[in-house]
Amino acid sequence: MPTLAGAEPQVQQVFVASNRLPRKVEQSIFFGQQLGDVRDPTLRFGRVDLSVPPAHTTGQIEWPGSAVPDPQKHFIVSASVGYQNAEAFVAALDQHGAPGEEVVLFVHGFNINNAEAIYRLGQVAVDYDARVPVIAFSWPSAGSPRGYAYDRDSVMFSRDGLETLLTALDQGGHGVLVVAHSMGSQLVMETLRQMSISGNRAALANVTGVALISPDIDEDVFVRQASRIKPFPRPFTLLVSERDRVLELSAFLTGKPTRLGSIDDPARLGRLPVQVIDLTDMKGGARGGHLTAFTAPEAIRLLKDMSGSPGG
């Protein structure tokens, strides 16, 4: 349901860590929304303050589109700030929340540009009543439906950046609930596996839970990845749907009948300590079933009732 019009816009802070190259070279620290699709080994840190319209409808991002941005009707960036390094970033988290508080880390999926990653997390944080700091890890997706191969390579490129962020949060005393969508799930699994094998287990143990939403991963690969992750984060949840049209296309491109996010028999995952939540029958939300957990009010209500607000 939309909130009542006439009220003041709500400001939702979204912290951002990104290995996207700024479109302008002189933007050496942060960027607002000016990060592109070019990969960069440098990890940058910042915060974006999103003004959320009073008439916001659950499950939607009220984009200005071609209209003149109106804070009463649209999501708008009201402010942004950059941080020199990871230490300054973690210090800012402490200033805007309780020191040592758990944070929610969101890893977006395929075909997402930087603005979409930030706005989506802002919308989800508002709709799920998040009461802890939220962080977007904005990796260099091409932001194009034709960029599937580029994005899969960007996932592999981004593993070290995500590990750097998780390590910094551990050193800053922040537990981390990791939420990943689509191809971002592959990035999370590869990074956690890498951390386990390399011995970075203190930061790995600092992960307080993982939720993979519509994970675009081969089932066999997921099982092998999970078998190497020790300690294995708990709780660990998969949100799946047999009506996910995007994953159907992904399965076609990879030559397999299904992807992990469309699994119909959790027994195929063996004895992995994972919970599977089936959103197949959820009504509403974006077409295609790939964004159900973010856009379907029925699914949002269900997930809020099951777990409470993220980190709340």
Side-chain angles (χ1 to χ4, degrees), residues 31 70 102 128 172 211 218 241:
F31 39 76
D70 181 347
E102 182 182 58
Y128 279 87
D218 180 279
S241 172

Side-chain angles (χ1 to χ4, degrees), residues 101 130 214 234:
E101 188 174 36
S214 304
R234 299 191 188 186

